[in-house]
Amino acid sequence: MRRISRRTRLSQAAVAVAVVVVAAAGCGDTSNESSGGDTESGSGSGYKGKGIGLAYDIGGRGDQSFNDAAYAGYEKARKEFKIGGNDIEPSDGESDADKVQRLTQMAKAGYNPIVGVGYIYAPAVKEVAAKYPKVTFAVIDDAQVQAKNVADMVFAEEQASYLAGVAAAKATKKDHVGFIGGVDIPLIHKFEDGFVQGVKSVDPKIEIEKRYLTEKPEDGGFSNPSMGKEAASGQVEAGADVIYHAAGLSGQGVIQEAAAQKVWAIGVDSDQYKQKALAASKEWILGSALKDVGGAVYEVTKSVVDGKPLSGEHRGDLKSGGVGFADSNPKYKEMTDVVEAVEKAKEDIVSGTVTVKTD
């Protein structure tokens, strides 16, 4: 069978899904804004901010994965602490200046904390946080910004991906699996590295297809289901019967194509078996490598409401429950050998018997 080389890319000619934006100076569309002005928390903490400011990554809300996980934490915090909120979609092909303007508008309006969902917000957070030292900012998936009022919320994605690799290796009937990454960047390499190590820990002879959709985020790697579908189709044709994706909204196409071809798909970030948009395909979702992005958004908000705002690096891993592997599909639970292997791998990582390495 044909073997695709490491980090091969699809053609970038496919057009990314456009996000329609209606806002001042092209700064993004407000999808959910509290109209109550400053709202004091019901916890008795004396919180006086306007609420949570949430700025989405590429693909926006509705990706059934990364951004939707952040939204879940945002909604939980708003409900529990009885505070307002403003969650804003990204513009298509926007610049760092657009992100700076978006975060600045939130800070001026009184939102606290303000969370940038994705590493792409790091430069904007660094700039705006310096101008608003009394506001707590957070960046999901980046630890470069070092400031007293910035929380860097990062994860051991490679550990969850290792579990996905073990599950794929135990479930494959053809000794042939696949990985599809949205964009060829270091963050997504962690998903690939963990997945490959997990597969090889079960059987080094298993063949692994590897594909990246684009080189740059703005080319649609995280936001175009058609690209994901095309990549999945190619990997099935090559012989893979289990495909793991780390491709955001593009992953919907991966899962839908895998289901159409009656091969297993493994989701990412959220429990994709439970996503309504993927209900028609859920029978073929073996499981999902989880990343508690929602928990990160919630914890940052709680810290601000409690008057003890987080700062510095906070890393979620298997031991802390910040990453994991979803087992919602009853068919997965019936595969006792797969379940036992994944649980054993989890125990080994938590105990330190196994260390998942990244490049």
Side-chain angles (χ1 to χ4, degrees), residues 57 63-70 140-141 155 157 160-161 187-188 191 222 244-249 266-272 275 287-294 322-324 326:
D57 197 358
D63 66 354
Q64 311 298 316
S65 185
F66 183 61
N67 288 294
D68 280 4
I140 306 294
D141 282 350
F155 300 88
E157 295 92 351
S161 297
L187 174 63
I188 305 304
F191 289 87
F222 290 136
Y244 171 46
H245 87 85
L249 181 61
I266 298 178
V268 76
D269 292 340
S270 299
D271 185 350
Q272 298 203 282
Q275 300 295 335
S288 297
L290 300 176
K291 183 163 70 172
D292 194 12
V293 176
V323 300

Side-chain angles (χ1 to χ4, degrees), residues 66-305:
F66 183 61
N67 288 294
D68 280 4
Y71 177 73
Y74 163 87
E75 282 291 271
K76 178 183 177 182
R78 287 188 63 201
K79 182 178 180 179
E80 184 169 326
F81 304 126
K82 297 179 175 60
I83 58 177
N86 187 9
D87 61 322
I88 303 181
E89 300 281 353
S91 303
D92 185 34
E94 69 181 19
S95 65
D96 283 344
D98 293 322
K99 294 179 180 64
V100 168
Q101 187 173 2
R102 178 177 303 126
L103 300 184
T104 299
Q105 288 181 341
M106 285 184 172
K108 283 183 177 179
Y111 291 100
N112 187 19
I114 298 171
V115 183
V117 185
Y119 71 94
I120 59 173
Y121 277 96
V125 165
K126 182 177 182 180
E127 180 175 337
V128 181
K131 298 176 182 177
Y132 295 88
K134 294 183 179 181
V135 176
T136 294
F137 293 80
V139 187
I140 306 294
D141 282 350
D142 188 272
Q144 297 182 63
V145 184
Q146 304 295 318
K148 291 183 178 179
N149 62 327
V150 176
D152 298 311
M153 311 303 287
V154 293
F155 300 88
E157 295 92 351
E158 69 278 6
Q159 293 182 353
S161 297
Y162 185 97
L163 301 186
V166 170
K170 295 294 290 186
T172 180
K173 301 298 184 184
K174 298 182 177 180
D175 290 337
H176 199 152
V177 301
F179 170 80
I180 295 173
V183 181
D184 191 357
I185 54 175
L187 174 63
I188 305 304
H189 297 168
K190 290 175 67 181
F191 289 87
E192 180 197 332
D193 292 340
F195 179 71
V196 170
Q197 288 176 59
V199 171
K200 297 299 185 182
S201 74
V202 174
D203 185 352
K205 296 180 181 178
I206 292 177
E207 190 168 2
I208 306 173
E209 302 291 325
K210 304 167 189 175
R211 200 85 176 258
Y212 281 79
L213 303 182
T214 63
E215 290 185 352
K216 301 177 181 178
E218 56 266 31
D219 292 331
F222 290 136
S223 60
N224 193 326
S226 294
M227 284 186 178
K229 182 177 181 179
E230 181 186 347
S233 178
Q235 293 197 343
V236 173
E237 182 180 352
D241 63 354
V242 185
I243 301 175
Y244 171 46
H245 87 85
L249 181 61
S250 299
Q252 287 191 30
V254 174
I255 291 172
Q256 289 164 351
E257 180 63 17
Q261 298 278 1
K262 299 189 183 323
V263 302
W264 289 116
I266 298 178
V268 76
D269 292 340
S270 299
D271 185 350
Q272 298 203 282
Y273 179 84
K274 295 182 177 180
Q275 300 295 335
K276 292 181 179 179
L278 294 168
S281 304
K282 70 178 186 178
E283 180 181 356
W284 291 98
I285 300 176
L286 182 66
S288 297
L290 300 176
K291 183 163 70 172
D292 194 12
V293 176
V297 174
Y298 173 86
E299 289 299 330
V300 170
T301 306
K302 183 179 186 300
S303 75
V304 173
V305 170

